[in-house]
Amino acid sequence: MKSWLCVRPSVYLGAFGLVVVSVALLLYAAEPARPFELWLSLQARAMGGDPDLATMFLVTDLLTGLAYLGIAVLLALFMGCVRAELPHKGMLLALSITMLAGGLSQLSHLWVMWQPAYWIEGLLRACTAAIAVATTLTLPAYWSRVVALVESARLERERQRQLEQLNTVLSQELQERRRIELALRESEQRFFEAFTHASIGMALVALDGSFRQVNRALCEIMGYGEEELLATDFQTITHPDDLEADLSQLHRLLAGEIGWYQMEKRYRHREGHYLWGLLSVSLVRDSAGEPLYFVGQVQNIDAQKRAEAALRETAANLSLAQQIAHVGSWSLALGSGEIFWSDELYRMLGYEPRSVDPRQLDLAMLAHPDDSALMREVLEATTTTHMPFMGEIRVVRADGAIRTMLVQTETIYDEQGRPWRNIGTVLDITERKTLEAQLIHQAFHDPLTGLPNRALFLDRLHHALARRREAHQEVAVLFLDLDRFKIVNDSLGHAC
């Protein structure tokens, strides 16, 4: 019953309207009593003799009384419907009784116009007055409670608003967290793909050095299977001579002195031999800054290191060969202007190897004053026209000695046919030139007297005749014959 009353409040309004219509019809059909006629005439006389205005007062009083009754009934039904949850029910009950008494008093005033029972009307009016006074005195006691209830409702609405705002913030944070988690999963997936399929060796290493995760490239470099590497640590496969330097860098990394480090070290291959690797290491920390694990990258540079060793050996052999043969070499990069001198070239010019920068030395200034112009022409031709050259040039060493050098230059071109580098060799031929001068002197001079011999005479005569033919000039030859010169020479010796 209670639930039906609560669900169907429109029934009360319909019933109230039906009561109003019924009472109006009843009064209209009833025979007016003498008091009613007397009241109506008095009211009409007081209102200027207008009976319609007096009738309007009658109707409004009737409707007011019925409205009071309706309000009282609705309040009573409302309290009955929500009596378990309704606060301050006493106040609503007092208001309901007051409205009920007021409605009955208002209707009794009209009823005596048909049935003159004035004592009933007086009794109802007295009860109504008593109830109204009691309600008036009772309501202030509920004032603070009502105010507290209103304040409580306001606070409840405020809490509800804050909860809604908090729910909105939490929803946004939840969405942001989901987005971050999704981005983190995508990042982890990309890292895993890059880690697994990287062309260089990669490993996640625990703080104690044990391998936590390795990729296929690292297994191929070291010659181990994945399970074999995960069962060991990097200290085991590191060359003993390189372990201390590696651990020292790790300690600096853990201490926060460096963010990462890179070094060349040797690893022990599964087959027992050692190979060179270029190691790069970084440290991963948690949100609190505590170390979690190392990330290591290893590039196989064993072939490069072997090639560098072979190149160093070749360069050492070449330097030794140049030193033995007294041959120096140089090269000039046409793009960058970088100049290289071999150690033997430094020594040939009187300097200690690598003691001075070749760019600080002017080769033309090192040349003999009589050959400096030729040296400048050679250098200019080499760098501009890229024409090869081979010739003899005298140079002045740092100690002042004059040496004769055989200089040869050549230009090297790149794949596109553009000049890339000039190279040259310098051969010290001072001893050879001295020997050649001695041989020439011996060929054209008498070994006993040191005087020019017949061969030099014929050579000079040949040159003189050639000049005569070119200049169309006469040439005279004076011939002296000394009698018994051989006897004088043999008896008195070279001093004569």
Side-chain angles (χ1 to χ4, degrees), residues 11-295:
V11 174
Y12 311 141
L13 297 178
F16 176 72
L18 182 61
V19 171
V20 172
V21 174
S22 300
V23 172
L25 292 176
L26 180 62
L27 294 176
Y28 179 77
E31 183 68 25
R34 177 63 183 172
F36 173 73
E37 295 177 352
L38 180 60
W39 176 86
L40 186 59
S41 63
L42 291 175
Q43 293 292 333
R45 188 180 298 114
M47 297 178 183
D50 189 355
D52 293 334
L53 185 58
T55 303
M56 183 185 69
F57 271 77
L58 175 64
V59 173
T60 54
D61 288 343
L62 174 62
L63 292 177
T64 302
L66 293 175
Y68 285 164
L69 292 177
I71 292 174
V73 172
L74 287 176
L75 286 174
L77 293 175
F78 175 72
M79 288 187 294
C81 181
V82 294
R83 62 179 181 271
E85 299 85 2
L86 186 64
H88 312 306
K89 291 179 288 185
M91 182 182 66
L92 294 179
L93 181 60
L95 291 175
S96 177
I97 294 175
T98 302
M99 297 302 292
L100 178 61
L104 292 175
S105 176
Q106 190 75 17
L107 292 178
S108 67
H109 175 65
L110 298 175
W111 180 254
V112 296
M113 296 179 186
W114 276 263
Q115 300 294 332
Y118 294 104
W119 64 270
I120 296 177
E121 180 185 4
L123 180 61
L124 288 175
R125 286 181 178 272
C127 293
T128 301
I131 292 173
V133 172
T135 302
T136 302
L137 296 175
T138 304
L139 286 178
Y142 289 97
W143 180 258
S144 59
R145 302 178 187 178
V146 173
V147 172
L149 180 63
V150 172
E151 181 66 18
S152 176
R154 187 188 66 80
L155 294 176
E156 183 65 24
R157 289 193 301 270
E158 181 65 21
R159 284 194 295 268
Q160 185 67 25
R161 185 183 64 82
Q162 292 177 356
L163 286 175
E164 291 177 355
Q165 292 179 351
L166 181 59
N167 288 335
T168 302
V169 173
L170 290 177
S171 177
Q172 294 175 352
E173 290 182 355
L174 182 60
Q175 292 178 358
E176 181 66 16
R177 178 173 297 181
R178 289 175 179 173
R179 186 189 65 80
I180 294 175
E181 290 177 352
L182 179 60
L184 181 60
R185 286 196 296 270
E186 292 177 353
S187 177
E188 289 177 349
Q189 181 64 26
R190 288 193 297 269
F191 174 77
F192 177 77
E193 293 294 333
F195 180 87
T196 303
H197 303 291
S199 59
I200 63 175
M202 296 186 65
L204 303 183
V205 184
L207 299 182
D208 61 355
S210 60
F211 291 105
R212 296 175 56 179
Q213 189 174 350
V214 295
N215 68 346
R216 182 178 61 253
L218 185 63
C219 295
E220 293 175 353
I221 292 175
M222 303 300 175
Y224 293 90
E226 181 177 354
E227 297 298 329
E228 292 177 311
L229 276 181
L230 294 178
T232 184
D233 51 37
F234 80 87
Q235 294 94 327
T236 303
I237 62 174
T238 299
H239 194 283
D241 295 342
D242 299 334
L243 183 58
E244 183 178 355
D246 196 0
L247 292 176
S248 175
Q249 294 288 72
L250 280 181
H251 293 156
R252 295 183 61 198
L253 190 60
L254 287 170
E257 298 178 3
I258 56 176
W260 65 283
Y261 72 90
Q262 188 178 75
M263 64 176 295
E264 296 179 354
K265 57 180 288 189
R266 288 162 289 183
Y267 291 94
R268 183 172 59 82
H269 194 271
R270 189 175 186 276
E271 297 179 355
H273 63 274
Y274 286 93
L275 56 87
W276 282 95
L278 178 61
L279 172 65
S280 301
V281 180
S282 59
L283 178 62
V284 177
R285 300 178 182 269
D286 60 14
S287 58
E290 294 298 325
L292 293 177
Y293 55 86
F294 300 103
V295 177

